[in-house]
Amino acid sequence: MTLLTRTALVAPLLALGAAAQAAPASWTAQRLSTATYVILDPVIEGNQKLVSADQRRSILDAMVRDSGGALKRRYPQATISAGPSARAIQVRPVFVAPSALVPWNKLGARLEFSTPDGQKVTLSESFGISVLLRYRAEFVNYMYDQLAQRLPR
């Protein structure tokens, strides 16, 4: 698995102490810009008790909508498919809730990609609580736009 971070477009991920691996060679802007993507069921990790069940449902809906929208804004020629496809890149949006909403805690977001040939790439970012307060209802959209901007152009 490979991790794309803020500091580098393709930075290695140390998987369980194993040697660092580079991003898949097929992970190119040309391939990604015309790919078909399927957004999988989103996942919320961390303290889910920070929000009500209705708010959680709203966040999950936004994760699907906004992660697909971020990919489409990054790659206008790409297709976001509603159903599974053997040739599509699967994308799982993940939101990592902090243990408590205090100024020093961070929120996290990930986009976990799985290609049809079994390659996996993860985009990950942490955001301060102040960013949540600044963007409010558009926070999920902002998070996934920030992640998508780090995909190859």
Side-chain angles (χ1 to χ4, degrees):
M1 185 184 286
T2 304
L3 174 68
L4 301 178
T5 67
R6 176 184 286 269
T7 56
L9 180 58
V10 180
L13 171 67
L14 299 175
L16 302 174
Q21 301 172 3
S26 62
W27 200 253
T28 65
Q30 182 178 12
R31 178 178 182 206
L32 297 175
S33 66
T34 59
T36 296
Y37 297 88
V38 173
I39 309 300
L40 302 176
D41 290 339
V43 174
I44 297 177
E45 297 176 350
N47 186 359
Q48 295 187 26
K49 295 178 183 178
L50 294 174
V51 295
S52 70
D54 287 343
Q55 291 170 322
R56 196 168 26 260
R57 180 77 251 151
S58 177
I59 291 168
L60 290 167
D61 290 345
M63 290 169 67
V64 171
R65 179 186 63 245
D66 294 346
S67 61
L71 289 170
K72 192 67 174 163
R73 284 186 292 280
R74 181 66 172 181
Y75 299 126
Q77 301 303 314
T79 302
I80 307 299
S81 177
S85 166
R87 298 175 55 201
I89 296 173
Q90 296 181 349
V91 182
R92 180 164 322 274
V94 179
F95 177 77
V96 183
S99 57
L101 289 176
V102 293
W104 51 86
N105 278 346
K106 300 278 186 185
L107 304 159
R110 286 194 315 265
L111 289 174
E112 300 173 344
F113 296 86
S114 297
T115 63
D117 56 357
Q119 298 173 339
K120 298 188 183 301
V121 172
T122 297
L123 291 163
S124 182
E125 178 78 34
S126 292
F127 300 89
I129 299 294
S130 63
V131 176
L132 169 66
L133 297 173
R134 185 176 335 134
Y135 288 95
R136 298 190 185 267
E138 291 299 316
F139 179 68
V140 174
N141 194 44
Y142 173 79
M143 285 189 324
Y144 291 120
D145 271 346
Q146 293 303 300
L147 291 174
Q149 287 177 16
R150 288 189 268 131
L151 289 166
R153 202 34 135 168

